[in-house]
Amino acid sequence: KQNLTETFAFGHFLMDVISYLSVEKMVGRLPIVIPLRDGRTIINHCGLQDKTLEESCQTTAEKNRFLERRAPIEPGLVFAKRHSLVNFRIEAEILVFISQTGMNLSQAATLKKGEFRFQSDGADVLVYRVYKGRRGGEAEFAIFKEYAPLFKSYTEWLDALSDPDDDRLFPFVYPHKIPSKGAAPRFQAMIGRCEILEIKYFRPLALRKTRINWLLRKSRDPI
């Protein structure tokens, strides 16, 4: 039996990451600092060296280059230039998705983007895929109703930032290699940050078995 206090602490952490990394924050000036509800922060340099201007810049030209590399960027460049932060949010998204649907990781990792419709079913919401304006047949998955607006928000985030030709619902970025079809993420960004923050990391299998609605228990309280 897993400790529910630790489970909810992890859930709160995931929600803090998701809530903060909006489109506006993803395109903003570096470093991007994520505030957590416990008062701590996560600083993200997106691969650029963590140096102050005084340490790294000897001339005005160097200082200008330093500032230019950390300046706000266009939405269409986020997945290419800030892929480490993109992967961090998508890792958080797929872990929350698994906790809310009970779906296994391999199945979730192969889901496609698309148009969805939502139908209430008691405490749950059934999610159907819409094909060319036609209502889908069987529900693709069921989610807690509190998660429905978050799932919609995530798909809007993808539409604003990701490659429109990439049909993956969880489009992890692999800058140095092409992964095999349906390859599941290894959650390196999430595990590394949990170790630094001393937050217990829960694997997808543990979240799937639990299917706890931490959204209902005020884990979305303002930071």
Side-chain angles (χ1 to χ4, degrees):
K1 295 181 180 180
Q2 61 194 45
N3 185 316
L4 289 184
T5 300
E6 293 179 326
T7 307
F8 275 91
F10 183 56
H12 296 163
F13 172 57
L14 298 179
M15 291 307 307
D16 288 348
V17 171
I18 289 170
S19 298
Y20 189 76
L21 291 179
S22 63
V23 171
E24 291 74 22
K25 292 297 191 299
M26 294 294 294
V27 302
R29 184 177 300 279
L30 296 177
I32 295 172
V33 182
I34 303 173
L36 304 179
R37 68 189 66 201
D38 64 8
R40 294 183 291 177
T41 58
I42 303 173
I43 302 176
N44 301 271
H45 295 273
C46 297
L48 299 182
Q49 290 184 339
D50 180 12
K51 293 183 177 180
T52 65
L53 288 175
E54 291 76 15
E55 291 173 334
S56 61
C57 303
Q58 303 298 321
T59 66
T60 300
E62 288 179 348
K63 181 176 180 178
N64 289 338
R65 284 195 296 271
F66 182 100
L67 293 173
E68 182 180 352
R69 293 182 67 192
R70 288 154 180 79
I73 60 175
E74 294 297 320
L77 298 176
V78 168
F79 267 59
K81 291 186 174 294
R82 299 182 176 178
H83 55 82
S84 61
L85 198 58
V86 167
N87 285 346
F88 186 37
R89 168 150 181 182
I90 297 179
E91 285 181 11
E93 290 282 3
I94 196 171
L95 287 169
V96 171
F97 179 85
I98 288 169
S99 78
Q100 299 293 293
T101 62
M103 189 178 293
N104 65 55
L105 175 60
S106 60
Q107 184 180 359
T110 58
L111 287 175
K112 304 297 184 183
K113 286 193 301 187
E115 183 181 349
F116 299 96
R117 70 178 178 89
F118 302 83
Q119 178 179 314
S120 295
D121 183 34
D124 286 345
V125 170
L126 302 180
V127 182
Y128 295 81
R129 188 177 294 273
V130 178
Y131 296 95
K132 295 183 180 178
R134 294 181 289 108
R135 289 173 172 252
E138 296 183 0
E140 191 145 337
F141 48 86
I143 57 179
F144 292 118
K145 64 181 179 181
E146 291 79 15
Y147 176 58
L150 282 169
F151 179 73
K152 294 176 185 177
S153 176
Y154 170 59
T155 59
E156 292 169 357
W157 183 88
L158 280 182
D159 290 341
L161 297 177
S162 66
D163 182 349
D165 294 328
D166 190 335
D167 65 353
R168 294 174 296 164
L169 183 59
F170 298 104
F172 290 95
V173 183
Y174 301 90
H176 304 301
K177 63 178 180 178
I178 301 176
S180 59
K181 185 177 181 180
R186 297 173 62 184
F187 299 101
Q188 293 174 321
M190 187 63 61
I191 292 171
R193 287 171 172 87
C194 283
E195 289 178 351
I196 293 171
L197 295 166
E198 297 183 337
I199 295 173
K200 181 175 174 58
Y201 167 76
F202 286 89
R203 296 175 180 273
L205 180 59
L207 295 176
R208 179 191 176 201
K209 287 182 176 179
T210 305
R211 195 175 181 247
I212 289 180
N213 189 2
W214 55 55
L215 302 177
L216 186 59
R217 301 193 187 182
K218 300 189 182 301
S219 62
R220 291 185 67 198
D221 286 348
I223 297 172

